[in-house]
Amino acid sequence: MAVPQAKVDALAARIAGLSFEREGWLGAARVEALSRLSSMGLPGKRDEYWRYTDPTDLIQPRTATAALFDAGDEPPVFDAIDRITLVFVDGVFDAAASDDPALAGVEITRLSQAPDLHWARDLYGVLEARGQSPVQRPLAALATAFATDGLLIRVTGKAAKPVSLVYRHDSETSDAILHHCVRLDPGAELTLLESGPGAARFTTAMEVEVADGARFHHVRVQGRDHQRRAATHVFARLGAESLFKSFTLTANGVLTRNEVVLELAGDDGVAHVAGAAMGDGAFHHDDTVFITHDAERCESRQVFKKVLKHGAVGVFQGKILVKQGAQKTDGYQISQSLLLDEDCQFLAKPELEIYADDVKCSHGSTSGAIDETALFYLRSRGVPLRSAQALLVLAFLAEAIGEIEDELIVEDIRQRLENWLARHEY
Amino acid sequence: MLEIKNLHVKLEEEDKPILKGVNLTVEAGKVHAIMGPNGSGKSTLSYVLAGREGYAVTEGSATLDGEDLLALEPEERAAAGLFLAFQYPVEIPGVGNMTFLRTAVNAQRKARGEEEMSAGDFLKVVREKAKRLKIDAEMLKRPVNVGFSGGEKKRNEILQMAMLEPKMCILDETDSGLDVDAMKLVSEGVNALRDAGRAFLVITHYQRLLDHIAPDVVHIMADGRIVKTGGPELALEVEKNGYADILAETL
Ligand SMILES: Nc1ncnc2c1ncn2[C@@H]1O[C@H](COP(=O)(O)OP(=O)(O)OP(=O)(O)O)[C@@H](O)[C@H]1O
Ligand SMILES: [Mg+2]
């Protein structure tokens, strides 16, 4: 199908100012990504996959400005976690601000300086390209083609510490495009942390290859900057008996689209994706998830919770595709929103598509207010209104937070949620 | 301790009067029972005292040790020493029973300007009190009332009461749904708390509970009023003959 002229023009305008690295060992992958991107065009308002989220601000040639944000006395995210920290400022790796990336069990190379790495050559753009069907994700192809920085992380054993990517936002007009590749060798294990807004506009793709028996934990806290915009993509392919667990906390941010595309390619794999989003006022948060079961006895869970008020909008598009032969699939999906007042909106599109006959799949989506009876019960025991509300909001989020395994990280996330609730009147 | 005068209450939404002039005084150290037909307004009275939304007081007053209860938020009433054991205890998925209890105990302490209880002390006290009510450790870990049987929920109410040590305890049909042994446990829980500085208002349909918790005074409520007040013998009369005679005599 020919790309409409308006889309061709929009793409030309968007990439006009971007530098394109045709040379080097990733040049071929970038050229292919650009050709994918050209054949799709950028997302448009009328695209089915963008029905609930207006992509305009994510595709326009220059980003809208985003005021810098002061987190006040809230400690940095993951402060209490023993980790190695790698810092990006407006999408540019900052070696001086980062820890030495030497870590037992892990090899970390900066994308822009990497020598030809076989494993990365086999991964860069590959999972993204696979993820373009059956639905197109042009912004991910954009990230593959035009990423100016990123990390190539190879995990050969059990990582001695979590690797923590910190994305600072230092310029009101920064427009960052990153691409990371992570490969976990058979039996390897890594906890990857991501935090911060990244830039005024942050477009990213991360490809994660989880080999047989490997375990990947991912916890992300997107920045509290009110005016930041982000389009993120995680593509992962899971081998046999592997584990993938991802949790994202999003509090604030005028526009966020988080796409996760997972493929369970080996038997007995486990994939969990969860998110908690807190929005007050100008907040549009979109979780778009696509999980493909292409092997036997795999388990997948999607748990997405949103707390909305003052006109905030939450979107969930979640799909479980069970391919023929993916017997004994156990698929679960829940998306819920808690509306703290009457003028917010939750739009959910849960989908199941099943071509195997011996599977267990369930999905549910709800939207509701705080339970007044429970609120009264708590208050009747002496719990003040605000604390009672906070308890109930945290209870609402509990299933999503429960997807994080590390207790210290859970504590960090809970504290941030409590802080957010304390800051926002409702 | 608790003084209710000419209390008139209607539903906020429907303009439907439910309490039509309740007068009731419960003195410190005493146990009062309220009996009465279904729908006579017993639970409504308890909810209005505890501060539930949805009811409008159109006339009358309710005070606790002289303090105007009706002017206080529910949590302030709790901090002032009022406790209601719910007829239908509420399930709260996602909030652990322990977290709930500790938050409540410490919130009340804080409101009264007392020091919060340390995690260690708290655990010790809860365990001991739970044991007496035969609430096992596993139940304490579960979310509040979620998956509890009817009787377990009622015992959990009494555990909360034991932890909070309120001075005015209202028990709304805490006996319903309890087996014989649980009824004994709950009664023992109540009796253990009886002292000169504390009062109870026990709403029940059955004499059986009153066998265990001997009341000082028994009231009969009908159509939104206390229509008769007497001693323990009044409960026996209801048990034997039902409400028909009493209601006929008050018309
Ligand atoms: N929120 C409400 N909406 C509609 N009707 C109500 C509401 N609350 C109470 N009522 C009505 O008020 C009357 C009194 O109810 P209440 O629950 O106080 O009775 P009760 O004496 O506790 O009865 P029971 O012995 O069955 O527990 C009933 O007719 C009930 O239907
Ligand atoms: Mg009742």
Side-chain angles (χ1 to χ4, degrees), chain A residues 324-404:
Chain A
Q324 205 174 355
Q327 301 298 8
K328 308 272 182 217
T329 284
D330 182 354
Y332 172 79
Q333 180 196 89
I334 184 95
S335 63
Q336 295 181 305
S337 72
L338 185 64
L339 310 177
L340 295 181
D341 58 27
E342 265 141 42
D343 71 350
C344 19
Q345 223 184 342
F346 178 55
L347 305 157
K349 188 175 164 201
E351 285 181 288
L352 284 179
E353 196 176 325
I354 302 175
Y355 298 102
D357 49 24
D358 183 14
V359 303
K360 195 174 87 190
C361 278
S362 65
H363 65 94
S365 182
T366 66
S367 173
I370 279 200
D371 179 350
E372 285 299 325
T373 313
L375 194 64
F376 171 62
Y377 190 64
L378 290 168
R379 296 178 76 191
S380 79
R381 297 308 182 241
V383 183
L385 177 62
R386 291 301 306 265
S387 326
Q389 285 169 328
L391 261 182
L392 293 177
V393 173
L394 289 170
F396 166 77
L397 296 169
E399 190 185 359
I401 301 167
E403 290 295 340
I404 306 170

Side-chain angles (χ1 to χ4, degrees), chain B residues 43 87 172-173:
Chain B
S43 292
Q87 181 172 359
D172 190 358
E173 293 198 29

Side-chain angles (χ1 to χ4, degrees), chain B residues 54-66:
Chain B
Y55 303 100
V57 175
T58 51
E59 222 184 308
S61 66
T63 57
L64 185 66
D65 281 338

Side-chain angles (χ1 to χ4, degrees), chain A residues 92-108:
Chain A
V92 181
F93 182 68
D94 183 342
S98 302
D99 290 334
D100 175 2
L103 182 65
V106 189
E107 294 158 13
I108 301 172

Side-chain angles (χ1 to χ4, degrees), chain B residues 16 23 33 39 44 70 73 76 92 94 134 151 172-173 183 195 200 203 213 215 221 245:
Chain B
K16 175 181 165 183
N23 288 293
T44 302
L70 304 178
E73 295 296 330
E76 294 169 333
I92 314 183
K134 293 219 162 65
D172 190 358
E173 293 198 29
M183 173 95 73
D195 72 33
F200 291 84
I203 298 170
I213 309 173
M221 185 161 197
D245 293 351

Side-chain angles (χ1 to χ4, degrees), chain B residues 54-129:
Chain B
Y55 303 100
V57 175
T58 51
E59 222 184 308
S61 66
T63 57
L64 185 66
D65 281 338
E67 190 171 8
D68 179 7
L69 271 182
L70 304 178
L72 302 178
E73 295 296 330
E75 55 268 35
E76 294 169 333
R77 302 182 195 202
L82 184 81
F83 179 89
L84 167 63
F86 282 51
Q87 181 172 359
Y88 305 108
V90 181
E91 297 187 6
I92 314 183
V95 177
N97 217 5
M98 275 296 210
T99 310
F100 167 57
L101 277 170
R102 195 144 70 91
T103 309
V105 167
N106 283 334
Q108 292 204 15
R109 286 179 168 240
K110 200 169 155 208
R112 290 194 290 258
E114 299 164 13
E115 213 171 296
E116 294 195 357
M117 216 168 177
S118 78
D121 285 352
F122 175 81
L123 209 62
K124 228 175 83 189
V125 180
V126 174
R127 287 215 178 111
E128 190 237 76
K129 297 199 192 241

